[in-house]
Amino acid sequence: MGSSGANTFQLADHPKLPKGKTIALIVLDGWGEASPDPYNCIHTAETPTMDSFKKTAPEKWRLIKAHGTAVGLPSEDDMGNSEVGHNALGAGRIYAQGAKLVDFALESGKLYDGEGFKYIKQSFDKGTLHLIGLLSDGGVHSRLDQVQLLLKGAAERGAKRIRLHILTDGRDVIDGTSVGFVETLENDLAKLRENGVDALIASGGGRMYVTMDRYENDWSVVKRGWDAQVLGEAPHKFKSAIEAVKKLRETPKANDQYLPPFVIVDDSGKAVGPIVDGDAVVTFNFRADRMTMLAKALEYKDFDKFDRVRVPKINYAGMLQYDGELMLPSHYLVSPPEIERTSGEYLVHNGVKTFACSETVKFGHVTFFWNGNRSGCFNPEMEEYVEIPSDVGITFNVQPKMKALEIAEKARDAILSGKFHQVRVNIPNGDMVGHTGDVEATVVSCKAADEAVKIMIDAIEQVGGIFVVTADHGNAEDMVKRDKSGKPQLDKNGKVQILTSHTLQPVPIAIGGPGLAPGVRFRSDVPTGGLANVAATMINLHGFEAPSDYETTLIEVVD
Ligand SMILES: O=C(O)[C@H](O)COP(=O)(O)O
Ligand SMILES: [Mn+2]
Ligand SMILES: [Mn+2]
């Protein structure tokens, strides 16, 4: 396995299951399973379609793991996320993911021997080392302990002037935790300064308003970051990052996710750390989707997404390479997981035609992440990818239905067209609205997701097809931080602490539809099955045996 050429991808016929069925593969983003509870928005919402699967065909409904080691994360305390979830769903195998690879590289010191570090090190003598990324211990896009190690390691290896450009979280972690993270970082920087390294925080802003847009939904987000990080310009100026975050959080309804951009200035009002010619820059997020746009702005010569004003000549490296197809960025500190021979690639070589669709904010999830962090199709004659433009400049609790209906209608048309064998969608609502922490809106979002499922299931009924409905990780099923006994935790003002993040919960998977061969049911001997088992299951339902190194199928056919 692993050699190139079409034969590598030839799949054996499944002994019992037919080819040519139309299969709807529906991924509900952020839809986990948890006990009934007022903070379980999926339970509170009317979700008759999702409920019916479990009730009417329990042998075709089960739970699968979507967090921790089942999706290649370092530990069972790591919640699932879209990147690792969709990687596992699409690739059918469990890869050590970015978080883990960076841990290894830092622990072993290999990070410092790599080409990427040598490249940025060229600037240490005369230039500044800038680190840009999400300041959080969420472990989804980045981890603070890794940044701390990198800072120390870079200083020990000759970095004399270091500037941090921080993005506050409040999405993968509780809102308000930014203050503590900044304090921790400031302590480390103070120690570096004691040792003669000129190390400071230079700029910042909330991740959803500054820098971390994804899939080119809204370039103004990246521009705000560029202005602060590169040009040293922002509407808010402070003497220290702690003061900045505390002050900006005093505004009514302020939220770590959406803090406005700020720069740190010296006594004369001058920004302490714009990026200039000769500097080195590292974007320290290991996850790709929300760093790719900045990587393009930092790396591309031809760039027309916004006016960069000044394009410094820098040595830039990503923590990882974010896009293997675009080779972006060209320099990186840690090699990404080599996710190859994904199910999508097998399908195009075996005559299975695919349609994939979501709205912008999740479009790359069912395409780029699905295909192992690879842009574009494998074969445009076999695949059609459709992106529905997301609303721009709003938080999704304002519009909790998002584009669920539009996605479902596009999928319905694709199913009814008879042109595709696999119609794959991501329905974002539970996740994107769940991240806002707005419980009422999340309930509305779950209902909308359920309605979208119904539209697609009805189309599958019409064409005699099959459906597979699952999710990539939990979110909307638990919207509160809990103590060890499971009770909602209160903050120091006695207010319930809302959970905006994903969870550790398993997710459901349901199969059905008139085209499902009689006798197909879930095996009982894969009790610890997870997202990575779905690819082999899908390949079987398309009428083929899965590749031998894929995680095993979840289904069996009884006579
Ligand atoms: O990037 C985000 O929106 C969150 O950090 C993680 O959410 P996702 O993994 O569902 O995209
Ligand atoms: Mn997700
Ligand atoms: Mn999410």
Side-chain angles (χ1 to χ4, degrees):
M1 293 247 186
S3 66
S4 60
N7 283 344
T8 319
F9 290 99
Q10 194 64 52
L11 294 170
D13 294 342
H14 192 279
K16 293 183 176 165
L17 294 172
K19 299 189 182 23
K21 296 285 177 191
T22 303
I23 310 182
L25 174 48
I26 303 169
V27 179
L28 299 180
D29 213 294
W31 190 285
E33 178 76 8
S35 319
D37 183 280
Y39 291 99
N40 179 340
C41 295
I42 298 173
H43 171 73
T44 309
E46 266 175 57
T47 54
T49 305
M50 289 301 288
D51 297 345
S52 70
F53 301 143
K54 190 174 174 179
K55 265 187 236 144
T56 58
E59 74 292 353
K60 295 189 192 104
W61 183 96
R62 63 165 287 173
L63 294 175
I64 49 177
K65 285 188 165 183
H67 80 286
T69 54
V71 286
L73 293 171
S75 85
E76 299 307 337
D77 296 331
D78 289 303
M79 60 196 167
N81 70 70
S82 290
E83 177 187 47
V84 300
H86 286 77
N87 281 171
L89 285 165
R93 284 147 295 161
I94 302 165
Y95 287 88
Q97 286 286 352
K100 209 165 164 175
L101 297 171
V102 173
D103 284 344
F104 287 153
L106 284 165
E107 268 162 35
S108 64
K110 287 217 169 83
L111 184 144
Y112 304 109
D113 301 332
E115 181 279 331
F117 191 79
K118 287 185 185 144
Y119 179 64
I120 58 161
K121 205 171 164 216
Q122 293 167 17
S123 304
F124 287 4
D125 245 359
K126 298 203 180 100
T128 301
L129 168 63
H130 299 264
L131 303 182
I132 308 176
L134 183 66
L135 192 72
S136 168
D137 66 2
V140 173
H141 294 269
S142 64
R143 277 213 334 262
L144 175 58
D145 60 327
Q146 295 177 346
V147 180
Q148 292 178 288
L149 287 174
L150 182 61
L151 264 175
K152 190 165 166 281
E156 282 166 6
R157 286 162 183 82
K160 297 188 194 71
R161 193 167 185 272
I162 304 179
R163 293 293 180 263
L164 271 293
H165 303 268
I166 61 167
L167 302 162
T168 53
D169 190 349
R171 187 171 178 92
D172 301 325
V173 291
I174 300 283
D175 181 41
T177 49
S178 59
V179 179
F181 294 137
V182 174
E183 282 167 353
T184 305
L185 181 60
E186 284 289 20
N187 275 337
D188 283 29
L189 297 178
K191 278 185 209 134
L192 287 178
R193 288 195 294 271
E194 277 167 24
N195 291 326
V197 181
D198 170 11
L200 294 170
I201 297 176
S203 78
R207 57 175 284 175
M208 299 302 285
Y209 191 62
V210 178
T211 299
M212 282 176 61
D213 187 45
R214 66 179 164 208
Y215 308 139
E216 312 209 356
N217 193 44
D218 184 0
W219 277 99
S220 68
V221 175
V222 185
K223 180 184 181 331
R224 273 179 217 116
W226 181 272
D227 291 350
Q229 296 144 2
V230 178
L231 307 179
E233 289 165 11
H236 298 275
K237 296 181 174 57
F238 293 95
K239 289 282 166 56
S240 85
I242 295 192
E243 187 198 341
V245 171
K246 284 189 176 162
K247 263 265 148 17
L248 294 172
R249 281 190 55 80
E250 280 171 12
T251 320
K253 297 215 174 132
N255 175 311
D256 286 351
Q257 295 193 51
Y258 289 92
L259 292 186
F262 61 85
V263 292
I264 306 304
V265 292
D266 62 17
D267 291 339
S268 63
K270 213 173 124 219
V272 300
I275 301 174
V276 300
D277 286 354
D279 286 352
V281 175
V282 171
T283 47
F284 60 76
N285 286 17
F286 41 73
R287 175 162 151 175
D289 56 348
R290 295 192 185 273
M291 272 297 126
T292 303
M293 293 165 74
L294 173 58
K296 285 180 179 169
L298 288 168
E299 182 144 314
Y300 284 178
K301 242 195 164 121
D302 297 323
F303 179 88
D304 59 4
K305 303 302 180 185
F306 59 85
D307 181 6
R308 290 182 288 186
V309 182
R310 182 169 61 73
V311 186
K313 290 188 195 65
I314 53 171
N315 284 6
Y316 164 50
M319 182 65 104
L320 258 69
Q321 186 167 60
Y322 299 129
D323 188 324
E325 194 64 15
L326 302 178
M327 312 270 270
L328 181 78
S330 45
H331 298 271
Y332 46 93
L333 302 186
V334 178
S335 296
E338 274 176 50
I339 307 178
E340 30 81 74
R341 293 181 301 104
T342 58
S343 58
E345 193 165 15
Y346 275 105
L347 296 185
V348 298
H349 283 102
N350 287 275
V352 177
K353 293 196 169 169
T354 294
F355 175 89
C357 176
S358 191
E359 61 170 283
T360 312
V361 292
K362 295 286 180 184
F363 177 66
H365 289 33
V366 272
T367 55
F368 173 79
F369 285 152
W370 196 272
N371 294 332
N373 301 349
R374 183 186 184 284
S375 303
C377 307
F378 294 104
N379 177 351
E381 277 165 30
M382 300 293 292
E383 294 161 282
E384 188 178 332
Y385 294 171
V386 171
E387 175 184 345
I388 314 244
S390 286
D391 289 321
V392 175
I394 59 161
T395 55
F396 288 104
N397 55 334
V398 182
Q399 203 64 269
K401 295 186 180 173
M402 300 183 68
K403 303 292 178 204
L405 191 66
E406 289 84 344
I407 299 167
E409 284 171 350
K410 273 272 182 288
R412 176 197 61 201
D413 295 348
I415 292 165
L416 298 180
S417 75
K419 287 200 302 204
F420 303 100
H421 304 103
Q422 182 173 118
V423 173
R424 183 170 76 230
V425 297
N426 176 300
I427 303 292
N429 307 55
D431 183 69
M432 293 301 286
V433 186
H435 280 305
T436 67
D438 183 332
V439 173
E440 264 170 52
T442 307
V443 171
V444 177
S445 83
C446 293
K447 182 166 186 274
D450 192 77
E451 285 163 2
V453 175
K454 170 95 168 69
I455 292 170
M456 293 180 276
I457 302 290
D458 286 351
I460 284 294
E461 278 293 327
Q462 276 189 52
V463 299
I466 299 171
F467 63 80
V468 176
V469 186
T470 189
D472 61 340
H473 51 75
N475 183 337
E477 81 289 356
D478 198 5
M479 298 286 291
V480 76
K481 191 167 160 65
R482 295 178 187 278
D483 64 19
K484 285 211 175 89
S485 71
K487 284 210 209 73
Q489 209 161 291
L490 306 181
D491 65 14
K492 53 179 189 298
N493 304 318
K495 251 180 76 191
V496 153
Q497 282 196 288
I498 290 295
L499 193 73
T500 52
S501 73
H502 300 167
T503 69
L504 303 172
Q505 294 301 120
V507 298
I509 178 167
I511 52 173
L516 190 66
V520 172
R521 64 178 187 194
F522 282 127
R523 293 160 60 176
S524 57
D525 58 347
V526 200
T528 57
L531 297 181
N533 298 87
V534 174
T537 310
M538 284 303 295
I539 290 174
N540 289 168
L541 293 172
H542 283 298
F544 298 95
E545 293 270 37
S548 57
D549 64 340
Y550 269 39
E551 293 294 320
T552 189
T553 181
L554 295 169
I555 53 168
E556 62 185 358
V557 192
V558 288
D559 296 320

